[in-house]
Amino acid sequence: MIENTEIAGLRRDYTLTELNESTVQENPFKQFSIWMEEAVKSNMLDASAMVLATAGKDNIPTARVVLLKAFDDEGFVFFTNYESRKGKSLIENPNASILFFWKEFERQIRVTGAVKKVSKEESKEYFNSRPFESRIAAWASEQSRIIPGRKLLEDKFDELKEKYKDGNVPLPPFWGGFKLVADSFEFWQGRENRLHDRICYLRENNKWNIARLAP
Ligand SMILES: Cc1cc2nc3c(=O)[nH]c(=O)nc-3n(C[C@H](O)[C@H](O)[C@H](O)COP(=O)(O)O)c2cc1C
């Protein structure tokens, strides 16, 4: 069994590069785009994976990984089951945070904001771009519900594959995108001796104010 001392001993220094107020982009979406491009071009796995934190009306925060599917100069889009735990939470309380951690670059980005549903057309367009099996799985899984076992899921999957064998899988009414409309960003670059760089952007009157935070 792993000992806590072994876990506690896991640490490293961060020395790859730096981030400063005078060289960051004025627009955080541009800064995001530069870092995302570097992550994607490096061929790391799951560069678009982000942790999404939500809290519904019970005020209990929960987090999980989802994949970023699009961003523009307003916010970040991901797709999910609207009736899942996160879906219900976000409908009860649209405030949320997303977080990217790219250990290969010693970087994290945190974004906060409020979500809104994307249009049916946008959800449909993305849904139709997914592989057949993923579209079937969206129908087969009542995401976040308790199920009696794996067999039920697989039987449902096979049944639906047969039902939609012509390949025309409609968009499930309970499935679609959310867009997190950003109101703050924080870009974190690991530095030596734990003196990390943290540059944040806060939106005020349609302008982004930049500040440095203590690590
Ligand atoms: C790498 C990775 C990518 C994932 N992408 C998504 C996604 O894009 N959408 C989604 O609904 N769940 C995705 N999941 C599954 C979620 O983490 C989560 O288990 C599921 O959405 C149920 O979460 P909930 O019960 O909090 O609603 C992904 C998981 C991992 C590890």
Side-chain angles (χ1 to χ4, degrees):
M1 200 174 98
I2 184 127
E3 297 288 337
N4 281 336
T5 49
E6 192 175 345
I7 295 171
L10 295 174
R11 55 169 69 84
R12 64 174 172 130
D13 227 4
Y14 302 103
T15 54
L16 273 182
T17 184
E18 59 180 60
L19 184 69
N20 65 61
E21 302 86 322
S22 56
T23 54
V24 287
Q25 298 294 312
E26 274 176 32
N27 182 314
F29 290 101
K30 273 203 187 131
Q31 186 62 42
F32 175 82
S33 176
I34 291 169
W35 277 20
M36 177 55 100
E37 186 172 13
E38 285 181 29
V40 172
K41 294 259 163 79
S42 75
N43 284 328
M44 72 163 77
L45 292 174
D46 302 321
S48 61
M50 58 189 191
V51 175
L52 165 73
T54 61
K57 62 175 186 237
D58 60 7
N59 271 333
I60 296 174
T62 54
R64 77 289 288 155
V65 175
V66 294
L67 296 178
L68 176 69
K69 289 297 163 185
F71 76 96
D72 57 19
D73 55 10
E74 184 187 46
F76 298 84
V77 176
F78 57 92
F79 291 88
T80 195
N81 185 313
Y82 289 137
E83 291 169 9
S84 65
R85 176 156 188 184
K86 80 184 88 48
K88 286 182 180 155
S89 283
L90 287 169
I91 288 157
E92 289 167 11
N93 172 12
N95 297 310
S97 180
I98 55 175
L99 181 120
F100 296 84
F101 172 46
W102 294 311
K103 60 182 181 306
E104 295 83 348
F105 288 84
E106 304 174 352
R107 285 173 175 167
Q108 70 173 331
I109 303 176
R110 175 167 61 188
V111 184
T112 65
V115 300
K116 57 183 184 185
K117 281 187 180 175
V118 306
S119 68
K120 266 238 145 51
E121 290 63 45
E122 195 175 338
S123 292
K124 202 181 277 179
E125 195 181 326
Y126 172 67
F127 186 77
N128 290 338
S129 77
R130 302 177 90 211
F132 175 70
E133 287 76 11
S134 306
R135 282 177 282 145
I136 294 292
W139 275 104
S141 168
E142 289 187 277
Q143 195 176 51
S144 311
R145 296 259 169 92
I146 291 174
I147 50 173
R150 191 169 172 89
K151 188 166 184 311
L152 176 117
L153 197 61
E154 290 178 352
D155 289 350
K156 224 162 143 195
F157 183 78
D158 291 341
E159 203 178 287
L160 287 157
K161 251 186 5 193
E162 182 57 29
K163 177 169 176 192
Y164 295 118
K165 63 174 182 264
D166 66 355
N168 290 323
V169 189
L171 172 72
F174 51 80
W175 196 96
F178 284 108
K179 182 184 219 180
L180 181 100
V181 178
D183 57 27
S184 84
F185 286 73
E186 181 195 321
F187 292 83
W188 184 100
Q189 179 74 58
R191 297 293 305 276
E192 61 279 358
N193 303 322
R194 300 293 182 267
L195 300 180
H196 313 301
D197 289 328
R198 299 177 65 192
I199 303 294
C200 74
Y201 295 75
L202 266 179
R203 200 176 54 196
E204 262 174 62
N205 306 323
N206 280 336
K207 193 180 159 288
W208 290 102
N209 292 330
I210 298 180
R212 174 177 287 267
L213 302 175

